[in-house]
Amino acid sequence: MLNKISKLRSEAETEIIRDQEELEAFRIKYLSKKGLFSVLFEDFRNVPSEQKKEIGRQLNILKQEIQEKYDLLKETLVKQEDTSTINDLTRPSFPFSLGSRHPISIVRKEIIDIFMRIGFIVSEGPEIEDDDHVFTRLNFAPEHPARDMQDTFYISRKSEEDSSPDDILLRTHTSSVQVRVMQKEKPPIRTISPGRVFRNEAISARAHCIFHQVEGLYIDENVSFADLKQTLLFFAREMFGKETKIRLRPSYFPFTEPSAEMDVSCRICGGKGCNVCKYTGWLEVLGCGMVHPNVLDACNIDSKKYTGFAFGMGIERVAMLKYQVNDLRLYFENDIRFLSQFKTSF
Ligand code: DAH
C-alpha cells in the first residue's frame, strides 16, 4: 500500500499542465469520485487494522499534496488568462453603450448647418443680460408690456415703476445678441445666435419658462426684403423638404419695420389641411423683418448707409414641426425612453 501511495505521488508530481483543459483532466484523473485517489482509498479498506493509522495518515498527506498542486495551478492559469486578454490588442473593445443626442441639440445643429452653408457665422451672448440690450436698444418703448414682471425674470431692478437700462434680467429673447454684435462689429454682418431664453410663464404643453431660440441678422448696403424672403425660403426647404412653400404675414415687432411672421406649408398634409395645421395648410415658424433704423442707430450703425434683416425662431417650435411631438414639456423632462428615440450620425 505504501508503495502504491509513493507511485501515485511521483506520477502526480511529474504531470505537466499547460492550460485549463489539462488542469481539468488532472482533476478528473486524480481527484474526482472515480479518480486514482478514490481507487487507492478503496484499497484502504483491506489494510490490516494495526497499519490503518499510519497508512491513513500517508493517504491524507498525498491527498492534500495533490489538492494543493491543483489549487496552485488553477490560480496561476487564471492569472495568465487575464494578462493574455489585456495584451491582445486585436480583441474588440468593451461594448460601451453610447447615449443619443437631445432632439433640441439635433435641431439646433441642423439650423446652424443650414445657415453656415450660406455664409452666416455663429455668435453668442450672455443669458444674464441688462435691460439695455434686451429692450431699450431694440426700440422697446419704456412702458412696453414685455418688460412687465409677468414676462421677465428680473435679477435686480432699480425701481418697480420705471425701467432703467441698468436693470439686470434673464434675456427673454436672443435678439439681445443682435445688439451686442452690432455694437462690436462693422457691416457686413451675417450671423446667427442660438441660445437659451427665459420667460415668466406657467409651464404647459404649449409654454415653458425656459426654451431655445436662434436669432439671425444680416446687415450690409442694399439689403432688401427680397433678400430676407429668399434666405428664409432656402432655410425652410433645407429644413422641412424641397417641396416646402413659405408665406409671410404682416406682423409687429418693435425692432423691425416692416415686420412679418413666416408660415411653412404643412408637411403632413402638403397644404391640403389636417388636424396638425388646424385645417389651414400652414404652420407658423418664425418672426422676422427689416431691422428698424432706430435699432441700427442705437447700435452705432449708420442707418442712412446700411440696411439689414433679422429673424428669430424657437428651436422647440421647429423640433415640434419636425418630429410631431406636440408637448413642450417632453423636451425638458429628459425621460430616457423619449430621448433614446432620436438617433443621429453625429
Ligand atoms: N425676438 C422675437 C421673439 O422672441 C423673435 C423675432 C422676431 C426676432 C422678429 C427677430 C425678428 O429678429 O426680426 O418672439
Side-chain angles (χ1 to χ4, degrees), residues 172-175 178 199 213 215-216 253 255-256 260 287-289 310-313:
T172 55
H173 56 179
T174 44
S175 301
Q178 272 191 35
R199 283 184 201 175
Q213 287 187 332
E215 185 77 14
F253 300 101
F255 36 92
T256 43
C288 60
F311 56 87
M313 68 184 99

Side-chain angles (χ1 to χ4, degrees), residues 154-170:
Y154 281 90
I155 290 171
S156 69
R157 198 169 194 188
K158 294 277 168 332
S159 126
E160 273 289 326
E161 287 74 44
D162 59 358
S163 55
S164 145
D166 301 333
D167 287 342
I168 305 298
L169 44 89
L170 296 180

Side-chain angles (χ1 to χ4, degrees), residues 129-140 147 163-169 176 179-180 183 298-299:
E129 264 291 8
D130 51 25
D131 177 289
D132 191 44
H133 289 88
V134 176
F135 300 123
T136 306
R137 282 181 206 263
L138 287 167
N139 201 34
F140 280 79
R147 281 197 175 92
S163 55
S164 145
D166 301 333
D167 287 342
I168 305 298
L169 44 89
S176 54
V179 176
R180 291 196 172 267
Q183 284 176 325
C299 300

